[in-house]
Amino acid sequence: MTATSTGSRTAVFPGSFNPFTLGHADIVERGLKMFDKIVIAVGCNINKPRGDAEAAAEAIRRIYRGRPEIEVVVYSSLTVRLAEEVGAGFILRGVRTVKDFEYERELASVNMQLSGIESVILFSRPELAALSSSMVRELAAYGEDVTPFLP
Ligand code: ADP
């Protein structure tokens, strides 16, 4: 974890990013219309060892090389604690479906209770609404070319 952002218009964009797709990249670019800085935070936990998260983070850093307004970190704490650490006043997330909506509403409400932090939710672009990391992983497992879904 190396983020040092202090501005109030910083958002954390947390996720598994396994892998980071065009859907995620679209949320980042649209988020930058509202925020000066976005910290993409790759979570690691028992299911996702730190080494895997570091590799994912490195791949995302390569995508955004030369973009100082985008920082990529790996974290294992609560997202609200990471947000406090990097001085982010907002959590950025995306919603594709009603299923996402229910999940995101719960997360946002817990995070609000924990720290008062605001979650900013962007609806996915219609053409990206069916795109998920799990779908990309499944196609890749069948040997399909997944590059059209990745930034
Ligand atoms: P998590 O495991 O925390 O849900 P993901 O990496 O799957 O992490 O997703 C991170 C965030 O990006 C979530 O808010 C998710 O809803 C959003 N997201 C994922 N794919 C898309 C997409 N195609 N369009 C918009 N938002 C998306």
Side-chain angles (χ1 to χ4, degrees), residues 28-41:
V28 170
E29 295 302 341
R30 290 165 56 206
L32 283 170
K33 292 179 191 160
M34 292 176 281
F35 302 110
D36 302 319
K37 177 157 193 168
I38 291 183
V39 179
I40 301 173

Side-chain angles (χ1 to χ4, degrees), residues 11-14 17 20-35 38 40 64 70 91-96 100 120-125 128:
V12 168
F13 180 37
F17 307 121
F20 190 86
T21 68
L22 284 181
H24 297 128
D26 185 55
I27 297 296
V28 170
E29 295 302 341
R30 290 165 56 206
L32 283 170
K33 292 179 191 160
M34 292 176 281
F35 302 110
I38 291 183
I40 301 173
Y64 294 114
I70 300 167
I91 293 174
L92 176 64
R93 296 278 290 179
V95 156
R96 290 155 293 189
D100 276 356
V120 173
I121 312 290
L122 294 181
F123 289 110
S124 64
R125 226 174 255 286
L128 296 173

